[in-house]
Amino acid sequence: MNNAYFQIMLPKNEPVKAYMPGSPEKEALNAELQRQLANPVEIPMIIGGKEVRSGKKEKMICPHDHQKVLGEYYVAGEKELLMAIEAAEAAKEEWENMAWEHRATIFLKAADLLTGKYRAKIAASCMLVQSKNLYQAEIDIICELADFLRFNPYYVQEIYKQQPSNTDGVWNRVEYRALDGFVAAITPFNFTSIGGNLSTAPAMVGNTVLWKPSSTAVLSNYYFMQILIEAGLPAGVINFVPCRGVDFGNVVIGHPNMAGVHFTGSTAVFNGIWKQVGENINNYVSYPRLVGETGGKDFIFAHESADAQALTCAMVLGAFEYQGQKCSAASRAYIPESLWGTVKDLLEKEIGKVKMGDVSDATNLMNAVIDQKSFKNIQSYLDYANESKDAEIIIGGKCDDSVGYFVEPTVILAKTPTFKTMVEEIFGPVLTIYVYPNDKLDETLELCDTTTSYALTGAVFAQDRTAIIKMAKKLDHAAGNFYINDKPTGAVVGQQPFGGSRGSGTNDKAGSAINLYRWMSQRAIKETMVLRTVVNYPYMSEK
């Protein structure tokens, strides 16, 4: 019996550990890296709380050393996906009706397990299978994921508090129900925190979920699934089903009880899901909620008053951290002629210091891109730039997949503002720069706003406040996350809710209450205390 109101206090962001040489966290992480390299694992599906194995397996490798096998995972087919749907439906009633504070406690406990007992294990898995340096792994799979697990229950609490007003003799109230069906979570390789958030956010408010992790991030995603189970997640609430995208689409997306899709990935794939839902709209029990964060062609736009050193720092970190494989990564920049000479020299100097290699070497800022498909795609853009008269590769440009999938940090100077690499998403360590005349600021802002179909992140650099106001206004709809004098990456839960519009998604802002509303279905209740017993209205007494 809940004869009390329970309160979750506003969380604080998980502190980022320094991993200094000789520190306890560094020693633990190094030991865990060696342990996982020496002990390949076999990963089952988790359906209805049980380990399930199929007749098909795929290997998990280190992108920075593709001969090193970290293990294998079982791949779900139609049979296993139907089992997962059945398990989600079986778990739905009890989970939805569980008191919200008990649901919340599971995820709060998972955050503590993640940041404590399993910190080294799960960080090492992210480094090895996704080729992230220790800092990138720390801010992703530890800090951001823990923040999602702590802030979202707080936001749920605050939403549940929102109730309508009453009148004399009437008590109005609103219940925040789960959706009518199950939710499909489709998650990317580049952030395990996104995988964790996309699967858990709908579950926090009573939904049951089918979770399809990226095939190149199964290891770290699976370890998080294990944490959820240890934290007390009931069987069938989240079902972990690595599988081919086409099978997930055929079996899950078109299922009549599919109530929503929580997606992060490419614009093309999300468009395909949206189209499939539209074609099947008459078959669904309810209109599915489609929430997606997709591609980006994120910009840095400099005014002539910008600080050249700060601008250069933002360009290097924004474009090349995690090999440019962030949907928020800077991939195009607009630099005024008056600054270009200085900025070019600084770029050459700073990029010349960047080391690239194995994740176990903490001096490497960059590691490998995720797989051979990505490597070949990036290489094709560099070949195109090399062969074009409209662009020049001025820094980097070399690729080597002999040991791992390594692409040098690359800067392309575009002679036209609509050159291919200024327009299309590459998802690699490639930054294209267009140098504009100082007196063409307005025209170049217009180009920045209209050149691509995306609107995810962007940054402007200026010391002139009037220029900042002008640039921010002109680029009002060009980015869902807009930065002033900072790089366009690194959004923090509780500080910068993340998401974009146009071709970059539905802008439902992960890490905010806005996203959680999408997984709720309100029921408004009116209870009359003073009962009406007369049919006629007073005005009807007129003779």
Side-chain angles (χ1 to χ4, degrees), residues 92 96-97 103 156 159-160 162-163 173-183 201-202 204-207 259-260 285-289 513-525:
K92 178 70 181 293
E96 182 179 10
N97 290 312
R103 288 200 309 263
V156 170
I159 292 170
Y160 286 170
Q162 297 176 27
Q163 294 294 320
R173 50 194 186 267
V174 166
E175 293 178 343
Y176 295 89
R177 305 169 299 176
L179 303 183
D180 195 1
F182 65 86
V183 173
M204 287 183 188
V205 294
N207 294 286
V285 171
S286 59
Y287 288 103
R289 307 280 180 91
I514 292 170
N515 181 276
L516 293 161
Y517 274 116
R518 298 285 281 154
W519 312 116
M520 301 177 181
S521 179
Q522 291 183 342
R523 180 168 79 152
I525 300 169

Side-chain angles (χ1 to χ4, degrees), residues 290-325:
L290 303 182
V291 175
E293 190 260 290
T294 58
K297 193 64 185 174
D298 310 301
F299 62 84
I300 292 178
F301 197 110
H303 181 258
E304 61 184 356
S305 67
D307 181 301
Q309 183 63 54
L311 170 62
T312 302
C313 181
M315 291 167 73
V316 173
L317 294 177
F320 303 129
E321 280 192 303
Y322 193 44
Q323 298 75 258
Q325 296 173 123

Side-chain angles (χ1 to χ4, degrees), residues 66 356 366-369 371-384 386 393 395-410 412 426 428-430:
H66 47 59
M356 178 171 63
M366 289 178 59
N367 310 109
V369 298
D371 59 16
Q372 186 177 50
K373 181 180 177 182
S374 177
F375 177 86
K376 293 294 186 185
N377 178 63
I378 298 165
Q379 192 174 48
S380 71
Y381 278 97
L382 300 184
D383 290 343
Y384 181 86
N386 269 322
I393 295 177
I395 299 173
K398 294 179 182 176
C399 306
D400 185 351
D401 63 351
S402 58
V403 176
Y405 303 114
F406 292 105
V407 180
E408 287 184 340
T410 300
I412 298 172
I426 301 173
V430 181

Side-chain angles (χ1 to χ4, degrees), residues 103-258:
R103 288 200 309 263
T105 300
I106 292 168
F107 301 105
L108 295 172
K109 182 176 180 179
D112 289 346
L113 290 171
L114 173 71
T115 57
K117 180 179 178 181
Y118 294 111
R119 194 179 196 117
K121 178 180 179 179
I122 201 165
S125 71
C126 181
M127 292 171 68
L128 292 171
V129 82
Q130 288 146 277
S131 201
K132 290 198 171 190
N133 65 38
L134 60 84
Y135 177 75
Q136 292 299 313
E138 170 77 2
I139 63 174
D140 167 22
I141 199 169
I142 305 300
C143 299
E144 184 169 55
L145 183 48
D147 287 349
F148 280 130
L149 294 170
R150 290 168 176 153
F151 277 86
N152 279 346
Y154 172 79
Y155 294 139
V156 170
Q157 166 191 269
E158 296 306 296
I159 292 170
Y160 286 170
K161 288 179 181 177
Q162 297 176 27
Q163 294 294 320
S165 60
N166 301 311
T167 56
D168 291 343
V170 173
W171 185 16
N172 298 309
R173 50 194 186 267
V174 166
E175 293 178 343
Y176 295 89
R177 305 169 299 176
L179 303 183
D180 195 1
F182 65 86
V183 173
I186 304 172
T187 66
F189 77 84
N190 58 339
F191 284 95
T192 306
S193 57
I194 296 177
N197 181 55
L198 266 58
S199 56
T200 59
M204 287 183 188
V205 294
N207 294 286
T208 53
V209 179
L210 267 68
W211 178 12
K212 179 201 172 301
S214 168
S215 61
T216 48
V218 172
L219 183 64
S220 60
N221 286 227
Y222 173 70
Y223 285 154
F224 177 62
M225 183 70 196
Q226 287 188 313
I227 288 174
L228 291 174
I229 293 170
E230 183 172 334
L233 187 73
V237 172
I238 296 176
N239 300 277
F240 184 77
V241 283
C243 62
R244 297 191 310 156
V246 64
D247 292 332
F248 197 83
N250 291 338
V251 178
V252 177
I253 301 300
H255 194 279
N257 291 334
M258 197 280 291

Side-chain angles (χ1 to χ4, degrees), residues 270-292:
F270 193 53
N271 287 349
I273 291 169
W274 203 291
K275 181 179 179 182
Q276 184 181 357
V277 169
E279 291 170 346
N280 286 281
I281 201 66
N282 292 326
N283 300 327
Y284 295 112
V285 171
S286 59
Y287 288 103
R289 307 280 180 91
L290 303 182
V291 175

